[in-house]
Amino acid sequence: MAQFLEQIINGLVLGGIYALIAVGYTMVYGIIQLINFAHGEIFMLGAYIALMLITVFGIPFWVALPLSMVLCAMLGMLIDLVAYRPLRNAPRLSALITAIGMSLALQNLARMIWSARDRQFPTQLLPTIFQGQNAISLPGGGTLPYRDVCIILLALVLMIALNRLIYLTKIGKAMRACAQNPVAANLMGIKTNQVIAITFAIGSALGAVAGIMVGLSESVTPTMGYYKGVAAFAAAVLGGIGNVTGAMLGGIIIGVAEVFGAGYISSGYRLAIAYIIMIVVIVIRPSGLLGKSTGTRA
Amino acid sequence: MRNCIIILLIVGLVSIWGCQPASKDKQEAQRELKVAVAAPFTGNAAAFGEMIKRGAELREKEINDAGGINGMKLTLIFEDDAGRDAEASLVAERIASNLQILAVVGHFNSSCSLAGKPIYKRAGIVELSPGSTNVTVCEGSDWTFRNLYRDDFQGQFIARYIDEVLTDLQSVAVFFDNDDYGRGLRNAFVEEAEKIGLNLVADEAYERDSTNFKAQLTSIKAKNPDAIFISGLYGQAGLIVKQGRETGITAQFFGADGIDSPDFLTIAGPAAEGTYLTTPFTFGAAGEDAQQMATNFEALHGMAPDTWAALTYDAVGMIAEALEKTYNQEASVRDNRKAIRDHLASLDTPEEGYVGVTGITYFDVNGDTVNKPAYVKIVEDGQFVAADQQLLDLN
């Protein structure tokens, strides 16, 4: 039982991280029907930027975190500006190929700058709450690092904030309008390109948070964006691509399934089980758990 | 007519230009001897590759500073296999088809050496690995050699060390990398552990690209082992030790030569303290020539060498010695490559063996080195030091 509880927590930590990445995929897809493969690389760069800010510039963690979010948001907008905006009216495949190219380019750029070696956040420079060895004791002998509690809470808070932003603010309304029909939204006076840029910015900032969280509990490598990105993309599809709440739900499901697969069955199946769940859901509900089954779009 | 002259001119120019490199090649071939060093310079095992490169460069520099090999310059060509077998096959094809390269030092990962083996065998070029320990690496090919022990010996050694020296450790768990190296070493360990009666309570695998091991560690913890043997490489092992301590595991961690890299210490951080590991070589227990090599290494690279730098230093030295004794400018590349193999194969007794900084290297019929001992190191104050108790009688 104690082990079960611990595995659930392991799954929620991973799931929270997947959810943070998955909303970035799903928001962009919802508006411009583009699978932004470079999103995984934004996530990776978020971790590297925070790492550099802390180790090279000596900036405290609590400043480095928002700063990295802002820088990644700008980077996300820049990628949209140079790589996707010129192709807005081109066939969808062109933009998709550009996204794959962008992903490979950024991954190799990171390899050139920081080399392929694993890097760690220096424990002594982190706030005590994020140092893995400080933990709450669980009943039954388990431990739960405060850091993991923070990851789950942070993911939860950001998700709720995002949800409120989309449904209660003016920009949120504009985003929803663009998702429904960009041409009509434009005719109503919404600056579509600006809304898309803001969407990229929000998704990238959340990706940066996820990157830093993974960096804190695992390690920072140029390929981290690929491995985590694929799982997060599966989460977005599972939840219904284009649907933000679905992405959060999908992230949690994939994370917990992965941990249970590795912990109870075999590590060789860790992602296989998550993907089987995804495939089964997609077969039964082709638009994902919460996706709308509209024939013409998505 | 004018067209004819132009065509003739072009043909003439092309043929002159075509001849040029060929004659230049010949001159170069006489001035320098090329040897490839194939190792993971990028990817998951890049920290090993970096030290392999530095060790090889030191030996290359020393040989050339001392006048080269019979007056010819030794030139090393570094090829990156990224620690992946698919990449290693491509590298091996590239090396084998390059008729200027006379021998290969590498690969490092067992899976890479195994991938290269058939290609080197077909091309007839020596593959001398300074790092692959999987049992089958040298089997079935006359062209593959290694200058360190095999995993059947290492796995057995670790089980015996836990049983005989760390006697209060009764139950063990194995956590292994699911590739040629990790699996082979795990098999040897498990076989011996069962034979001598260690209680094996968990046996879990992980994949090389994983970075999150919490799920498996939580289920290992539930089995409550006294010791956990990690059969894998430093990158994952470092994270396993770190995440294991965070999960609340208090068991003794044990690793093998795959974690013998300074990067293990930086990745695991303070959690690395007290981890035991086996290694084919340690400067702490080595002779004066090894200390001299360490000093020269520091002078050249500004950092201390590790086990793999030393083994590569010796491997390059062995190839250089073979070239010195056998290289014949008049003979074909094929014959020269074969002469190197024949020379290495002739080192089959301790007396004939190559005396290097890591001890005397000689080969059995397979091309394996069977005489070299295993040492035990422990992490103390963030550094690898030789453990107080060695188990040299098994050696």
Side-chain angles (χ1 to χ4, degrees):
Chain A
M1 190 60 213
Q3 190 194 345
F4 182 76
L5 182 67
E6 273 178 76
Q7 297 288 33
I8 287 276
I9 291 168
N10 290 340
L12 287 178
V13 173
L14 202 56
I17 286 165
Y18 286 158
L20 282 175
I21 312 172
V23 290
Y25 280 110
T26 223
M27 280 166 67
V28 166
Y29 187 87
I31 292 184
I32 54 173
Q33 280 75 49
L34 165 72
I35 300 168
N36 179 16
F37 280 106
H39 187 57
E41 272 55 50
I42 299 271
F43 153 85
M44 174 265 296
L45 289 171
Y48 270 112
I49 290 171
L51 183 66
M52 287 301 116
L53 290 175
I54 291 172
T55 54
V56 178
F57 297 100
I59 293 170
F61 179 81
W62 290 117
V63 182
L65 176 73
L67 202 54
S68 169
M69 286 171 72
V70 170
L71 288 172
C72 277
M74 284 159 65
L75 190 64
M77 289 196 282
L78 183 71
I79 291 173
D80 173 48
L81 187 68
V82 299
Y84 304 144
R85 193 175 293 183
L87 296 172
R88 203 76 90 206
N89 297 317
R92 236 182 255 172
L93 199 59
S94 312
L96 187 73
I97 299 295
T98 310
I100 294 173
M102 207 66 211
S103 161
L104 289 172
L106 289 174
Q107 196 183 110
N108 286 297
L109 183 72
R111 207 195 305 273
M112 274 165 60
I113 302 176
W114 294 292
S115 88
R117 297 173 69 168
D118 296 17
R119 280 167 195 260
Q120 305 289 315
F121 277 91
T123 319
Q124 68 281 8
L125 295 180
L126 297 177
T128 39
I129 201 164
F130 277 111
Q131 295 176 2
Q133 66 269 33
N134 300 313
I136 309 166
S137 295
L138 292 177
T143 56
L144 169 60
Y146 290 113
R147 184 196 59 215
D148 291 358
V149 181
C150 285
I151 292 177
I152 297 174
L153 287 180
L154 199 58
L156 202 65
V157 168
L158 288 171
M159 290 298 155
I160 293 170
L162 179 64
N163 194 283
R164 297 297 87 187
L165 178 96
I166 288 172
Y167 288 102
L168 297 182
T169 63
K170 209 168 170 189
I171 179 70
K173 200 179 240 175
M175 284 158 91
R176 281 182 290 141
C178 286
Q180 275 180 13
N181 192 330
V183 179
N186 204 359
L187 289 174
M188 294 299 119
I190 295 171
K191 293 188 181 102
T192 334
N193 276 335
Q194 203 180 333
V195 173
I196 293 168
I198 290 171
T199 309
F200 269 94
I202 295 172
S204 303
L206 294 180
V209 177
I212 296 165
M213 295 303 135
V214 169
L216 288 174
S217 48
E218 298 172 18
S219 55
V220 185
T221 64
T223 50
M224 65 192 277
Y226 172 75
Y227 293 113
K228 290 280 189 288
V230 168
F233 179 63
V237 173
L238 169 65
I241 192 142
N243 186 307
V244 173
T245 321
M248 303 176 195
L249 188 66
I252 301 289
I253 294 174
I254 295 275
V256 172
E258 184 182 329
V259 165
F260 275 60
Y264 288 105
I265 304 170
S266 162
S267 68
Y269 296 107
R270 65 181 305 151
L271 275 175
I273 287 162
Y275 290 150
I276 288 168
I277 292 177
M278 183 193 86
I279 291 166
V280 168
V281 170
I282 296 298
V283 167
I284 298 169
R285 277 185 65 91
S287 54
L289 285 175
L290 301 181
K292 286 191 298 284
S293 48
T294 49
T296 48
R297 304 184 57 85
Chain B
M1 191 58 208
R2 236 175 70 184
N3 278 352
C4 274
I5 294 174
I6 289 174
I7 288 171
L8 269 176
L9 258 175
I10 290 173
V11 169
L13 278 174
V14 166
S15 52
I16 291 168
W17 178 75
C19 287
Q20 208 55 29
S23 55
K24 218 170 116 204
D25 269 4
K26 193 137 196 213
Q27 280 175 350
E28 258 179 10
Q30 286 167 352
R31 272 191 281 110
E32 59 180 359
L33 302 173
K34 290 187 179 167
V35 171
V37 177
F41 300 119
T42 62
N44 273 331
F48 292 126
E50 213 164 274
M51 281 299 191
I52 285 172
K53 185 168 188 196
R54 295 204 169 101
E57 280 171 348
L58 174 64
R59 193 54 182 251
E60 180 190 28
K61 183 175 176 291
E62 287 182 3
I63 289 169
N64 289 333
D65 285 354
I69 300 165
N70 297 335
M72 287 166 286
K73 188 167 164 264
L74 172 68
T75 304
L76 296 180
I77 293 166
F78 294 96
E79 290 280 358
D80 178 20
D81 64 26
R84 290 196 304 264
D85 45 7
E87 196 69 30
S89 303
L90 297 177
V91 164
E93 294 283 8
R94 194 156 62 225
I95 292 173
S97 60
N98 182 342
L99 291 180
Q100 301 205 331
I101 295 176
L102 295 162
V104 185
V105 171
H107 298 231
F108 176 80
N109 303 70
S110 294
S111 50
C112 293
S113 291
L114 286 165
K117 179 165 75 171
I119 297 161
Y120 295 127
K121 184 182 176 183
R122 203 178 327 121
I125 181 167
V126 159
E127 175 191 28
L128 173 57
S129 171
S132 298
T133 50
N134 181 284
V135 178
T136 56
V137 165
C138 297
E139 274 174 17
S141 168
D142 291 340
W143 297 87
T144 303
F145 299 85
R146 65 176 132 203
N147 66 348
L148 75 172
Y149 56 51
R150 285 199 321 227
D151 279 340
D152 49 351
F153 167 71
Q154 178 168 236
Q156 195 187 16
F157 180 89
I158 295 165
R160 292 278 295 277
Y161 190 86
I162 292 175
D163 187 53
E164 289 172 28
V165 179
L166 309 171
T167 43
D168 47 342
L169 305 177
Q170 301 294 329
S171 55
V172 290
V174 186
F175 198 21
F176 66 98
D177 185 353
N178 201 5
D179 90 329
D180 289 315
Y181 166 74
R183 229 177 308 121
L185 183 57
R186 172 232 166 243
N187 293 348
F189 175 82
V190 167
E191 194 181 311
E192 182 70 10
E194 279 167 355
K195 202 157 82 191
I196 57 182
L198 279 174
N199 185 16
L200 191 69
V201 292
D203 189 9
E204 295 268 346
Y206 63 84
E207 303 302 314
R208 181 69 64 78
D209 353 302
S210 309
T211 47
N212 189 320
F213 304 93
K214 287 275 175 79
Q216 296 103 309
L217 286 166
T218 303
S219 57
I220 288 177
K221 189 180 70 171
K223 310 272 173 52
N224 211 7
D226 294 333
I228 298 173
F229 170 47
I230 306 168
S231 177
L233 303 182
Y234 67 90
Q236 292 74 40
L239 286 173
I240 289 169
V241 169
K242 186 170 136 191
Q243 293 174 6
R245 292 288 181 239
E246 282 174 11
T247 317
I249 288 176
T250 50
Q252 170 69 51
F253 279 108
F254 220 113
D257 56 348
I259 73 169
D260 187 5
S261 165
D263 276 37
F264 172 74
L265 304 172
T266 54
I267 292 170
E273 280 304 293
T275 303
Y276 279 100
L277 61 145
T278 49
T279 171
F281 174 72
T282 169
F283 280 95
E288 220 147 84
D289 48 349
Q291 310 308 334
Q292 184 58 47
M293 180 247 159
T295 315
N296 296 346
F297 190 94
E298 282 227 51
L300 184 63
H301 297 298
M303 62 172 69
D306 74 352
T307 307
W308 312 107
L311 283 162
T312 309
Y313 179 88
D314 274 1
V316 174
M318 288 185 84
I319 298 289
E321 190 197 70
L323 281 169
E324 192 182 334
K325 291 195 175 153
T326 66
Y327 185 72
N328 177 1
Q329 284 191 25
E330 306 303 315
S332 68
V333 174
R334 206 181 167 76
D335 289 344
N336 276 323
R337 284 176 170 183
K338 180 147 194 332
I340 296 172
R341 191 215 82 86
D342 293 343
H343 175 78
L344 291 183
S346 75
L347 310 175
D348 54 359
T349 60
E351 293 74 37
E352 302 266 352
Y354 172 83
V355 184
V357 296
T358 63
I360 298 170
T361 304
Y362 61 93
F363 302 109
D364 67 3
V365 284
N366 269 337
D368 282 328
T369 295
V370 285
N371 62 307
K372 284 195 173 168
Y375 301 93
V376 181
K377 290 200 228 181
I378 185 169
V379 180
E380 258 177 33
D381 301 323
Q383 296 214 303
F384 292 119
V385 295
D388 291 339
Q389 261 191 297
Q390 298 290 336
L391 188 63
L392 292 166
D393 64 324
L394 192 76
N395 291 311

